[in-house]
Amino acid sequence: MSPKRRFVSWTLAVVSALAFVVGASAQQVARAVSQAVVTAENPIFAPQDPPPQQQQQDPEAAPGRGGRANQAPAPRPYDQVITKTAKTDDGIFKIHRIGDTLFYEIPKAQLNKDFLWNTQIKKTTIGAGYGGQNAGSRVVRWMPKGDRVLLLNIDYSVVADTSTPIAMAVDDANYPAIIRAFNVAAYSPSGDPVIEVTSLFMTDVPEFSVRGRIGGRGYDATRSFMEKAVSFPENINVEITQTFTGGADPAAGGGGGGRAAAARGMRGSSGTVLTHHSMVKLPDKPMMARLFDERVGYFTQGLTDYGTDEHRSVAKRYIARYRLEKKDPNAEVSEPVKPIVYYVDPATPKKWVPYVIKGIQDWQVAFEAAGFKNAILAKEAPANDPDWSAEDARYSVIRWLPSTTENASGPHIHDPRTGEILEADIQYYHNVQNLAKNWYFVQVGPLDPRARQLPLPDDLMGELMRYVVAHEVGHTLGFQHNMKASSTYTIAQVRDKNWVKQNGHTPTLMDYSRFNYVAQPEDGIDPVDLIPKIGPYDKWATMWGYKPIPGAKTPDEEKPTLDKWAREQDQKAYLRFSTEGHNGADPGDETEAVGDSDAVAATRLGIKNLARVSEMLLGATSTKVGDPWNELEEVYGRMVSQWTTEMNHVARVVGGFNSQQKHIGQEGVRFVSVAKEKQSEAVQFLLQNAFQTPMFMIRPEILRRIQVTGVVDRVRTAQNSIMGNLLQAARLDRMVEQAALDGPTAYMPVQFLAELRKGVWAELAKPGTAIDIYRRNLQRSYLGTIDDRLNGNTEPSDEIRALLRGELRALDVEIQAGMAGTTDTATRRHLQDTRDQVTTILDPRAMRTRTPDPAAAGRGGRGGVR
């Protein structure tokens, strides 16, 4: 919530309370709240200080201040405005185009009605955003005012029941902003106002601008043109070519696109886009909203309600969902009155279209659980239909975008009054194929014979694309990510070929649980089941959000049934959603994880597969004779990254809390500390695996093909990531609090830090042991991380400072004892340098008194071999 909105909400509550105390009327409350909103609009003035006096001008002479100069010119006869040369298109409005001038003839029945205005980039200059990119949406209303029509910006974030007295105050506090005011050029024979709207499209109107999306700074009207305007029964589409200019580079003395523009996308001094505006009428009868419940993962529309019986304003959240109504309300399963339809972008390569269609229609089984048959359909976009547009707000489209970005996204547009999803445009970037290929090969390549060589065959790549599409469709249906899901299956279940055939290796497609890297070759899992699918959580959550509740007339009347459904999570853990407010403390709520109910066991199995992948790498990437080794280098890097990711899953166990979202009436607490034994086990696993050199990464036959140097730095960077995660300030603070609340059953911070120190510096327990370069870098990472915790930008708590400084002093004593038998020169110098680093970390001022060593510049306590 923005500061302005928080202030308005606070002011409404306070003023309403004062009205009750002093017996003020509703009108008095309204005036007081309106003044409060004026203050919120001008935060530079403190609430108790009036704004400075405005200079008075002649009201009849001052432009924009009323009087004769601000009067609208008299409308002209209709046929003098809409001449015989006009090209007219009849739809929800009549639109008339005369040359480059555009008029809207607005039926009186459509005045004071709500419309959703959506702006998208349809085509663009290379580097200036993406074709298909959404630029924003808002609710607008056309309101007559004398011989003018005002285009208003409508905000539904603050509401009240219209039958309550405070509704007047809320209405006054939410006065719509005027986007544009149009003079009525003429009235039609039936009395409908005709206005010229050319400037709405041919100037850079902030509310509808795409300038920020492409990094433009100026607008050039001389290089901008209106392309087409079409009126449909429910909406109007207008397309314009717009040219934006970048800012000059001050360092270059002008000219060019400028650093600011280049940083945001524009490559040159200007960028031209084809901007699509679609204005679609919102339903006259709003859908009945369904209240959000933190136990089920839906996107939401929030508002503040002042019209309840509670002694405060109530923050409400409605789930985002499509409107689905049964053709046969009495049938257990019925086709919908209006199904959800997604169109496949004509730009989609033909060989992938069948897989995109499957990814959309995979969700049909989930809607059957909600009582709907054929609720979601996929269609190819109509060919050669000039009235069909992928940017039309009436159509949901899977957009294929020519971009090197390795991603896909699933945004949607919904009615802010109810959360009803009206339209969705999934952005499928071309190079997400490369991302999916690398994930699959690195995670489960040893488990699927089709993945032994790259590139992957089309049938396998098609299935990976189907998975990505289905995941993004889930977002557009209203579903958030559910990272909790992957930890609700046991390791045994994830390795059971019959279980995963029926249930998948994660209960939901909305998890970031990619491919089943826990499975082993001996498990015999069908390769098709290595890929996530619609799972039991998806079916249950779709039922919870979409199933009609007969007899309920209001959102509040649905709450008892929704609560009953949500409580199924108590008996069925695989129906659970991420816990609100866990703040990264739950090791079972983890991205990119499989089997994180036991992260240690899952990672141990995952490492076995990574070792197999390292043996496959050279052969898999040697298929394109005559090509350089670029793919070998890329996939090798992905393998190292996967190892780091899996090790960080284990680090999350330390100082962790197992959690379940629970509401009043459910037994037990929401957060339970991870058992001491599990935390200590995680630390020992990291010491034995993450902080020992991963030798499967160090293969000269690979490394000598892709780089002169770098493997030492790769290992250092990976281990540094894990060390930094393990010694997070938030993790240490949680452990301190666990010790305070749980007492002797807690994994004490002193024990954790001692075990970590002894493991990282294990060579000191065996005097004379040489410390190799990988271990020296690990130990430098340990010092650098502690240095950052003690002397970085964030001040540590007193307890953490005492604990970490104590560890450094203990380390210094151990180094003193261990150096006596050291004969290896590199090891001795490393230990001597370590003692200097400890002194500097404990007293940063000591650094300023030392004579700089040019040969050692830049290494410091956080460095290593670069």
Side-chain angles (χ1 to χ4, degrees), residues 662-696:
K662 294 184 179 182
H663 287 186
I664 296 171
Q666 290 176 271
E667 294 183 2
V669 297
R670 293 167 64 210
F671 304 106
V672 177
S673 299
V674 173
K676 173 181 180 179
E677 294 74 22
K678 297 295 291 183
Q679 294 191 46
S680 181
E681 177 193 27
V683 172
Q684 295 306 317
F685 178 85
L686 292 174
L687 291 172
Q688 296 162 14
N689 295 274
F691 296 150
Q692 296 295 329
T693 307
M695 297 308 298
F696 72 88

Side-chain angles (χ1 to χ4, degrees), residues 31-305:
R31 286 194 295 271
V33 172
S34 297
Q35 182 58 49
V37 175
V38 171
T39 304
E41 292 282 359
N42 299 276
I44 192 171
F45 303 117
Q48 69 272 20
D49 296 328
Q53 292 295 315
Q54 299 289 337
Q55 182 177 355
Q56 297 299 312
Q57 297 188 28
D58 180 357
E60 294 187 353
R65 295 183 179 274
R68 288 192 299 269
N70 200 35
Q71 290 178 357
R76 294 184 291 155
Y78 183 80
D79 58 1
Q80 291 184 16
V81 176
I82 307 303
T83 65
K84 292 181 180 180
T85 61
K87 295 181 179 180
T88 299
D89 195 23
D90 197 358
I92 194 163
F93 297 178
K94 281 185 179 179
I95 60 176
H96 310 279
R97 185 170 178 180
I98 303 173
D100 289 331
T101 304
L102 187 65
F103 292 92
Y104 279 2
E105 183 176 322
I106 307 176
K108 288 181 287 186
Q110 303 303 334
L111 294 168
N112 293 314
K113 296 295 179 69
D114 287 347
F115 290 81
L116 186 73
W117 189 302
N118 185 55
T119 304
Q120 284 186 322
I121 297 173
K122 184 174 183 178
K123 298 180 181 180
T124 184
T125 303
I126 291 176
Y130 304 105
Q133 183 178 11
N134 187 48
S137 63
R138 64 185 60 244
V139 177
V140 300
R141 185 183 299 161
W142 302 89
M143 187 187 81
K145 188 176 181 64
D147 286 333
R148 283 192 175 89
V149 174
L150 308 182
L151 180 60
L152 306 180
N153 185 73
I154 306 301
D155 190 336
Y156 282 100
S157 61
V158 178
V159 299
D161 189 322
T162 55
S163 65
T164 60
I166 200 173
M168 182 181 299
V170 169
D171 185 59
D172 286 349
N174 195 17
Y175 197 49
I178 300 172
I179 298 173
R180 280 288 189 274
F182 301 92
N183 296 325
V184 175
Y187 288 99
S188 73
S190 60
D192 298 334
V194 178
I195 59 175
E196 184 191 339
V197 295
T198 312
S199 65
L200 190 60
F201 301 102
M202 297 310 297
T203 61
D204 191 30
V205 179
E207 288 83 356
F208 308 126
S209 178
V210 302
R211 178 163 48 90
R213 294 290 183 180
I214 68 170
R217 298 187 64 182
Y219 176 72
D220 189 347
T222 66
R223 292 184 282 169
S224 300
F225 313 93
M226 186 172 296
E227 301 292 348
K228 72 176 183 178
V230 186
S231 187
F232 298 97
E234 297 178 10
N235 65 301
I236 294 174
N237 291 350
V238 178
E239 290 184 357
I240 52 177
T241 293
Q242 295 179 297
T243 300
F244 297 91
T245 57
D249 184 348
R259 292 175 181 170
R264 301 183 64 184
M266 288 179 59
R267 295 183 180 180
S269 59
S270 60
T272 298
V273 300
L274 182 63
T275 304
H276 182 98
H277 298 277
S278 188
M279 186 187 72
V280 61
K281 186 179 179 183
L282 289 178
D284 286 328
K285 182 181 179 181
M287 178 187 75
M288 189 176 86
R290 179 159 290 184
L291 289 168
F292 173 67
D293 188 311
E294 290 84 353
R295 293 168 289 186
V296 192
Y298 277 84
F299 293 116
T300 63
Q301 172 64 48
L303 54 86
T304 303
D305 190 348

Side-chain angles (χ1 to χ4, degrees), residues 292-608:
F292 173 67
D293 188 311
E294 290 84 353
R295 293 168 289 186
V296 192
Y298 277 84
F299 293 116
T300 63
Q301 172 64 48
L303 54 86
T304 303
D305 190 348
Y306 289 91
T308 70
D309 290 332
E310 294 196 33
H311 303 159
R312 58 175 180 172
S313 62
V314 175
K316 288 186 176 179
R317 293 160 74 187
Y318 297 140
I319 67 170
R321 58 174 182 159
Y322 281 95
R323 185 190 300 228
L324 281 183
E325 299 167 337
K326 290 184 176 182
K327 283 184 178 178
D328 182 357
N330 298 317
E332 183 66 24
V333 179
S334 167
E335 290 194 345
V337 173
K338 180 182 178 182
I340 304 166
V341 179
Y342 287 81
Y343 289 88
V344 181
D345 189 343
T348 305
K350 293 300 181 184
K351 66 180 178 179
W352 304 134
V353 170
Y355 296 101
V356 173
I357 290 175
K358 288 179 182 178
I360 296 166
Q361 298 190 159
D362 279 341
W363 282 94
Q364 288 185 350
V365 65
F367 281 100
E368 289 174 6
F372 292 96
K373 181 180 180 181
N374 296 324
I376 181 169
L377 303 175
K379 294 183 179 181
E380 292 190 57
N384 303 316
D385 183 350
D387 290 335
W388 189 93
S389 171
E391 292 77 26
D392 192 329
R394 295 176 301 164
Y395 303 129
S396 296
V397 185
I398 313 291
R399 300 296 305 271
W400 191 283
L401 304 181
S403 169
T404 56
T405 299
E406 295 187 352
N407 198 11
S409 62
H412 68 258
I413 298 169
H414 63 260
D415 186 338
R417 302 171 300 178
T418 62
E420 178 184 355
I421 297 173
L422 303 172
E423 182 259 355
D425 281 311
I426 292 172
Q427 298 174 359
Y428 195 102
Y429 300 106
H430 185 84
N431 269 24
V432 77
Q433 298 174 81
N434 191 55
L435 179 66
K437 174 263 293 182
N438 287 328
W439 271 338
Y440 194 82
F441 177 81
V442 166
Q443 293 174 7
V444 296
L447 309 177
D448 186 349
R450 297 173 297 173
R452 300 290 167 81
Q453 288 189 329
L454 298 176
L456 300 176
D458 282 354
D459 62 333
L460 175 55
M461 180 55 69
E463 290 300 320
L464 301 184
M465 295 170 63
R466 173 184 178 179
Y467 153 63
V468 174
V469 168
H471 177 93
E472 301 306 336
V473 168
H475 283 316
T476 64
L477 296 173
F479 296 116
Q480 297 183 49
H481 286 129
N482 180 6
M483 307 305 184
K484 179 74 175 176
S486 57
S487 65
T488 59
Y489 286 170
T490 67
I491 297 296
Q493 289 170 329
V494 172
R495 297 185 65 184
D496 185 329
K497 64 181 180 181
N498 296 321
W499 175 271
V500 297
K501 176 67 70 177
Q502 184 68 30
N503 303 287
H505 64 265
T506 179
T508 174
L509 198 66
M510 303 315 297
D511 197 349
Y512 274 179
S513 186
R514 309 297 180 182
F515 309 113
N516 190 355
Y517 62 74
V518 170
Q520 299 294 296
E522 62 268 23
D523 297 335
I525 291 178
D526 187 343
V528 73
D529 297 324
L530 297 171
I531 304 172
K533 63 185 75 174
I534 299 292
Y537 170 85
D538 300 313
K539 299 173 186 177
W540 175 82
T542 304
M543 179 280 298
W544 189 96
Y546 281 89
K547 185 174 183 177
I549 300 177
K553 304 298 183 184
T554 68
D556 285 333
E557 290 180 9
E558 289 189 333
K559 287 183 68 174
T561 300
L562 296 174
D563 178 65
K564 177 183 176 182
W565 289 345
R567 291 186 186 218
E568 291 183 46
Q569 295 174 338
D570 289 342
Q571 284 73 45
K572 301 175 181 177
Y574 54 80
L575 301 182
R576 293 174 188 168
F577 178 66
S578 299
T579 305
E580 187 99 340
H582 72 82
N583 296 330
D586 188 342
D589 198 306
E590 182 64 89
T591 63
E592 310 296 340
V594 177
D596 45 331
S597 60
D598 187 340
V600 169
T603 303
R604 182 175 285 115
L605 294 167
I607 292 173
K608 288 185 177 181

